[in-house]
Structure formats: structure tokens, C-alpha cells
Amino acid sequence: MGMGTDTLVRAAEGVDEGVDESVVDEGVAAAEAVRRRLAGLDWEALSAALDRDGYAVTPVPLVGEATAAEMRAGFDDDRLYRSTVHMARLRYGDGVYRYFRAPLPPVVAALREAAYPPLAIVANRWAVRLRSRDRYPDRLSELARRCRAVGQTEPTPLVLRYGPGGWNALHQDLYGEIAFPLQLAIPLSQAGRDYDGGENLLVEQRPRAQSRGTAITVPLGHGLVFPTRHRPVPGARGDQRVTVRHGVSTVRSGERYTLGIIFHDARP
């Protein structure tokens, strides 16, 4: 059974006078289910896919149908979000995206916190291969502390909505000096049922070569892990630093919602 549109807000606020504790419990239970799903993934296989293909799709959904429906229903609830961007006004594409305010809803916080440690292992391995001095801490709380130290204090998880004709220009999600090298996108709508078109796009620019593009369709609730900015690719003289940008192809019909999990915070 769905939790209702208010659950994300009320669970994020926590138990307080006048707040139904059963609502909070539902949000916490959904968050624990997310943590269990992430803990049960074969992270070695996902890491191998990231190395080989430049992206990885989780074999099981991280978010269930009920939670996805709740997030779609809550898109217009201003209590959940700190900022709204109308993409066409800024020539970013055609659609709307909204950044969650703090405290994050429990499911969103759980996705961010539980996915971070195994991805930090990949990020540090990539840093070595790219001959970078950057190293990433084991826990998200320490990354958040580093972000605060350089003025990056705003949460970056967001929900994106595209209608017919909607699309997202190729870009990188960089919000300040610190940028974690991997991020996660989770469809909240089902391709072929709720919308057509709207593939995830990844475009790599390899040194002294033409750009290479990949279109990916991800089932509802599954996670797509992909690079934020660069990834290492083996070359004739060792690993090459490949620049990666991501976007969304044109939605031909229907409505497409996506939850984006970015691990570094943003400058106000």
C-alpha cells in the first residue's frame, strides 16, 4: 500500500508533536528496505561493468513501485524542495527539476548513504588509475564535512520531470570545488508504459578521437551508476582520462520522472 503524498515530508521532519508516528515508521521502513537492497548487490560485478562499459545498471530495483508513485505525486509539493529549475529558460533542455531540501526524505537519504561506501572504493581506484591526488573518505558524512569546509552546504539529490518533447542537454553535475566521481539515477516511471523515448545518454570524449555516445533504458526503480566527470579507459600508453557528459534524449510521449542521487553538496 502506498504511503501517501505527505509521508516524504513528515518522515523527513521526524516525530514531533502532531506528527503521526505510523507515517514516520513507514518512511523509515522503506528506507531500511533500500539499505538492504543496496547491501545485497554484487558490487564487484557492478564495479567491473563500470570499468568495462562506463556505467552499470543494478539487476534489481532499489526503489519499489509504491515509493516511485509517491515521489511522482510529491513533485509539486513545495515543502519537499529547496530549489526549482525550469530547463528551457536556461537552455538546459525542456523539463523541470527540483532539489530536495534538508533534511532529505528517509528513502533519499538511505540511497545516498548506503550507495556511497562501495562507490567510494571505485572512486579511489579510479583516482589511482588517473594519477589524481584526490582520495574519497569511506563514509558520506565525511564527504559532507569536506564539502561544508569549502562552502558546499546545500543537498543535491533531485527529481526531474519531462513531458512530451522534453529532453536534457549533455552536462556534468559539478557544484563546487569538490565533486564525487560517480552518481546514481533511478527512474520513477516505466519506459514503454508511462513514456516513450527519453533514454539516458552518456557521451565520452576520448583523447584524439571522436565522441562516443551510449543510450540506456533503465527499468523503473533500478539504479544507473555513471561517472560525474571523468573515467579511466585503458590506452596504448596506460589509462587515459576520458571526459563523460550525460543527458536525456527526447521524450516522445507520456511523462518521465527520475530521482537523481548526487553525493557531493552544492554551494548556496
Side-chain angles (χ1 to χ4, degrees), residues 14-267:
V15 179
D16 202 347
E17 185 177 354
V19 175
D20 184 348
E21 292 189 25
S22 66
V23 170
V24 177
D25 289 344
E26 288 185 53
V28 172
E32 286 306 310
V34 163
R35 293 182 190 276
R36 287 194 300 272
R37 290 169 189 153
L38 283 162
L41 292 176
D42 184 345
W43 284 102
E44 287 190 10
L46 292 171
S47 298
L50 282 165
D51 286 340
R52 181 184 64 247
D53 303 323
Y55 69 91
V57 178
T58 65
V60 297
L62 305 179
V63 169
E65 283 267 11
T67 300
E70 184 183 2
M71 288 189 176
R72 295 195 304 268
F75 188 81
D76 293 317
D77 191 336
D78 293 337
R79 295 173 297 171
L80 283 169
Y81 302 101
R82 66 173 178 85
S83 176
T84 301
V85 176
H86 294 271
M87 297 163 63
R89 296 177 186 172
L90 300 172
R91 303 182 69 181
Y92 290 170
D94 190 347
V96 179
Y97 57 88
R98 309 194 78 183
Y99 291 101
F100 284 104
R101 68 172 71 249
L104 296 172
V107 166
V108 178
L111 283 163
R112 208 180 189 212
E113 291 165 7
Y116 176 84
L119 292 180
I121 294 172
V122 179
N124 284 321
R125 183 162 49 79
W126 280 11
V128 172
R129 292 178 59 189
L130 292 171
R131 296 173 291 282
S132 168
R133 287 183 287 183
D134 292 331
R135 294 295 183 272
Y136 302 94
D138 295 337
R139 302 179 70 86
L140 181 65
S141 57
E142 176 59 21
L143 181 71
R145 187 194 66 77
R146 294 185 187 182
C147 285
R148 288 194 299 272
V150 296
Q152 294 174 223
T153 58
E154 297 286 0
T156 47
L158 71 165
V159 177
L160 306 95
R161 179 174 69 188
Y162 307 91
W167 59 284
N168 196 345
L170 295 173
H171 65 285
Q172 297 174 323
D173 292 312
L174 309 176
Y175 298 103
E177 177 182 336
I178 294 174
F180 188 72
L182 294 156
Q183 58 194 85
L184 181 64
I186 301 172
L188 302 176
S189 310
Q190 180 61 53
R193 183 192 71 185
D194 302 320
Y195 69 93
D196 289 305
E199 296 88 357
N200 291 90
L201 301 176
L202 296 177
V203 175
E204 297 184 350
Q205 179 58 65
R206 301 193 178 194
R208 299 175 297 281
Q210 298 290 334
S211 296
R212 174 190 177 187
T214 303
I216 309 155
T217 299
V218 183
L220 184 150
H222 292 241
L224 170 66
V225 186
F226 59 96
T228 301
R229 179 161 45 179
H230 302 117
R231 79 175 185 104
V233 173
R237 300 181 179 179
D239 286 313
Q240 298 177 314
R241 179 183 297 267
V242 171
T243 298
V244 182
R245 295 185 294 163
H246 64 276
V248 173
S249 70
T250 302
V251 174
R252 294 189 293 272
S253 64
E255 229 174 16
R256 179 192 193 274
Y257 289 82
T258 301
L259 171 63
I261 301 294
I262 299 161
F263 297 96
H264 49 277
D265 293 323
R267 290 186 178 276

